[in-house]
Amino acid sequence: MKTIKQMKKGYGNKITIKTGLEFGMQMHIIKLYEKLFSQYDLDFVLLSIHQVNDLEFWNQDYQRGKTQKEYNEGYYDEMLQLVKSYKNYSVLAHMDLITRYDNDGVYSFEKIKNKITEILKIVISDGKGIELNTSSKRYGLSDSTPCCDILTLYYNNRF
């Protein structure tokens, strides 16, 4: 941050330098993160969810002992609570990240459509965007992240 501040001062109005970060958020750490964020002048914040209840997706800790329905719905429940409770972000990142780590295959969009619709209504009404993350190609996923169904739902409801 110190280097960025120096660069902004050094370049003046010759180039624009913006500051942005991605924050993996959970409900129980919102206050801690807000305290941290208040120390910085950020132009752009990606809100992401990489774990629920301090359990990671990538190593299957979150999914372990749960049915596919339980861990998918739990993930979107956490996301819904976050977008209801936390507003200091620019874009909701890789909305269906859990898909990348779902060893049971693709969980049907129709099963979570209502929950995703509720999330997107809040995101849109708050004037926030959603990220199209290209890592789906690197991970060999059959769809984008978020999937085309989520992108279409966002696009059709953003007004």
Side-chain angles (χ1 to χ4, degrees):
M1 295 304 282
K2 182 180 176 184
T3 302
I4 291 171
K5 191 174 185 176
Q6 289 171 341
M7 291 176 70
K8 284 182 177 184
K9 186 177 180 182
Y11 284 103
N13 61 0
K14 294 176 186 172
I15 62 172
T16 302
I17 299 173
K18 301 269 185 178
T19 307
L21 295 171
E22 176 181 358
F23 292 106
M25 185 72 75
Q26 297 177 76
M27 285 298 297
H28 67 279
I29 59 173
I30 288 176
K31 289 183 193 260
L32 177 67
Y33 270 35
E34 284 177 333
K35 184 178 178 184
L36 175 66
F37 300 156
S38 69
Q39 298 174 39
Y40 303 104
D41 184 23
L42 300 173
D43 299 298
F44 194 85
V45 174
L46 284 165
L47 173 63
S48 60
I49 302 166
H50 297 125
Q51 53 186 233
V52 175
N53 297 326
D54 295 324
L55 298 172
E56 297 280 354
F57 307 144
W58 67 271
N59 63 5
Q60 301 297 304
D61 280 352
Y62 174 67
Q63 297 91 313
R64 194 171 295 113
K66 297 178 185 80
T67 66
Q68 186 181 35
K69 177 181 179 179
E70 289 170 335
Y71 60 75
N72 273 280
E73 291 189 8
Y75 168 72
Y76 290 107
D77 285 341
E78 179 81 359
M79 187 179 299
L80 177 60
Q81 292 310 309
L82 277 170
V83 298
K84 282 181 176 179
S85 304
Y86 184 72
K87 306 296 180 179
N88 194 19
Y89 70 98
S90 310
V91 167
L92 182 59
H94 41 63
M95 269 188 76
D96 57 0
L97 178 70
I98 193 76
T99 303
R100 183 189 304 169
Y101 304 108
D102 194 337
N103 291 340
D104 291 331
V106 176
Y107 192 68
S108 169
F109 175 74
E110 291 305 315
K111 293 178 181 177
I112 51 173
K113 183 178 179 180
N114 289 340
K115 198 169 300 266
I116 290 174
T117 299
E118 193 175 350
I119 292 166
L120 288 176
K121 283 181 181 177
I122 295 166
V123 168
I124 292 165
S125 70
D126 288 344
K128 310 299 184 182
I130 62 172
E131 174 207 32
L132 174 58
N133 188 296
T134 58
S135 69
S136 57
K137 299 298 177 200
R138 180 172 24 125
Y139 286 95
L141 301 178
S142 61
D143 204 342
S144 59
T145 304
C147 67
C148 289
D149 288 326
I150 293 175
L151 292 171
T152 301
L153 198 58
Y154 178 83
Y155 180 81
N156 289 335
N157 291 288
R158 71 190 195 295
F159 300 110

